[in-house]
Amino acid sequence: RKTVAQHETDTMSEYQYYEFQTVDRALTAQEQAAVAKLSSRVDLSPHRAVFTYSYGDFRGDPVKLLARYFDAMLYLANWGSRWLYFRFPRKLVAPEKLAPYRVDDFIATSSSADHVVLGIRFDEEGGLGWIEGEGDLSPLLPLRQQILEGDYRVLYLAWLQATRFTDADEEERVEPPVPPGLRALSKPLKAFVEFFGIDADLLATAAKASGDAAPEPDLESWLRFLSEGERLECLRSMLHGDPGASAQLRLRLRNLANQQRPSVPAEKPASRRRVSDLLQSAKAAANERAQQATHAQAEARRRKLEGLDQSETRLWAQASALITRKQIKTYDEAVGILKDLRELAEHRGQLNGFAA
């Protein structure tokens, strides 16, 4: 498997795409100037920076650039790399909540005094073929807010994708907590599944252990339940341009709503499945789907042959008439009919008669 470092000297005719975005703040003029110094290939605005390369490589460390200035980063390379990174305010995300979903080489977190950085990265062999990265980050950006609000479905999906690269001695590893709502993915989650190419059968297998997500609360209706101190603190944070103020308010309102939900008897927690269980179940589901498709194709062919059998004489006459017209379009139509008649003859074991 090639790494980015290995490509620093051999990236001619290859494509790399880096996209960075801010969420709750704009880059200052000084920050934009610092980012612009990194490359002449940058497309820069107060909220977004894009670097594209058909040769050469990014100068500097993209993850450090994210941690310093931005809230999200997407990286694509046509030799098979797909990365998605998010930066969170340290006061809003507890790293221990993300820890169950970490997988060496694929899903990692790092923390500083001010921020937590989550990285999801897959470097697959074989390459991605022709790719264009433009606009790929925006559909995924709402996932950052979902994580801030305690929705860890994207983390589970990333963990699920990592199981495809599990070594045999790791297949006894047990899955992390299965979040609710995997059977009804949001639009950003569907974009995540598509971006990383998560197997549909593996996802369907995993989703069987996922309950229904709680209905989305009307957060505005909970504003009146904030204390006077909380309101003042929220306004003070917004006045001073705290980039996490909006997310912190939404999180507080969501917690209030969840505390007031009617209590329901706790469901018996589903037993955690092993990686090998998930992979085997997904393989069985894929095989069953393939068998159903084969059966459907055979049934469709049977119906087609029955129809050809009943109209064989008319089809020979139609093909002959089309050929007589001596036009390219009608020749093509005649060839289509003759192919059907050949298939019928082959089914009957009468290819010699067809050839004659």
Side-chain angles (χ1 to χ4, degrees), residues 106-226:
F106 301 107
I107 308 165
T109 59
S110 60
S111 303
S112 66
D114 299 320
H115 298 104
V116 174
V117 173
L118 166 70
I120 300 169
R121 52 189 292 172
F122 291 91
D123 299 290
E124 299 189 40
E125 297 178 355
L128 304 178
W130 175 259
I131 59 171
E132 292 183 359
E134 186 67 27
D136 276 316
L137 180 54
S138 293
L140 300 167
L141 204 55
L143 297 172
R144 178 180 180 270
Q145 181 64 35
Q146 292 180 15
I147 294 173
L148 282 172
E149 295 175 359
D151 182 346
Y152 297 142
R153 283 179 293 177
V154 65
L155 291 170
Y156 182 88
L157 291 174
W159 177 89
L160 196 65
Q161 178 70 346
T163 64
R164 293 180 51 219
F165 307 94
T166 300
D167 294 331
D169 57 353
E170 296 177 329
E171 289 188 355
E172 297 306 303
R173 193 174 59 216
V174 175
E175 68 181 336
V178 182
L182 286 178
R183 285 173 287 184
L185 298 182
S186 63
K187 194 171 181 179
L189 286 169
K190 290 178 180 177
F192 182 87
V193 168
E194 181 179 357
F195 179 71
F196 283 106
I198 298 176
D199 181 75
D201 294 304
L202 186 58
L203 175 55
T205 297
K208 291 178 180 178
S210 176
D212 295 331
E216 185 69 15
D218 178 12
L219 297 184
E220 188 172 340
S221 66
W222 291 93
L223 285 170
R224 66 181 187 274
F225 293 98
L226 294 175

Side-chain angles (χ1 to χ4, degrees), residues 28-157:
T28 65
Q30 184 178 6
E31 289 171 334
Q32 290 183 65
V35 173
K37 288 181 180 179
L38 293 172
S39 175
S40 60
R41 299 176 179 276
V42 65
D43 178 7
L44 184 62
S45 74
H47 292 276
R48 184 171 178 260
V50 172
F51 302 83
T52 56
Y53 298 90
S54 297
Y55 60 89
D57 203 358
F58 183 76
R59 295 200 306 268
D61 186 327
V63 179
K64 289 182 179 178
L65 181 65
L66 164 79
R68 185 168 184 179
Y69 297 120
F70 296 95
D71 298 306
M73 178 190 82
L74 179 142
Y75 170 70
L76 271 174
N78 66 349
W79 55 75
S81 292
R82 291 183 179 93
W83 300 359
L84 179 64
Y85 277 72
F86 292 126
R87 184 187 72 165
F88 306 98
R90 179 67 178 81
K91 61 186 177 182
L92 297 183
V93 171
E96 59 271 18
K97 295 286 189 180
L98 311 182
Y101 302 95
R102 290 196 302 237
V103 180
D104 290 345
D105 299 328
F106 301 107
I107 308 165
T109 59
S110 60
S111 303
S112 66
D114 299 320
H115 298 104
V116 174
V117 173
L118 166 70
I120 300 169
R121 52 189 292 172
F122 291 91
D123 299 290
E124 299 189 40
E125 297 178 355
L128 304 178
W130 175 259
I131 59 171
E132 292 183 359
E134 186 67 27
D136 276 316
L137 180 54
S138 293
L140 300 167
L141 204 55
L143 297 172
R144 178 180 180 270
Q145 181 64 35
Q146 292 180 15
I147 294 173
L148 282 172
E149 295 175 359
D151 182 346
Y152 297 142
R153 283 179 293 177
V154 65
L155 291 170
Y156 182 88
L157 291 174

Side-chain angles (χ1 to χ4, degrees), residues 250-265:
R250 291 178 62 85
L251 184 61
R252 174 59 180 147
L253 294 174
R254 188 176 295 277
N255 288 337
L256 283 172
N258 290 336
Q259 290 169 9
Q260 298 301 316
R261 289 186 191 278
S263 59
V264 295

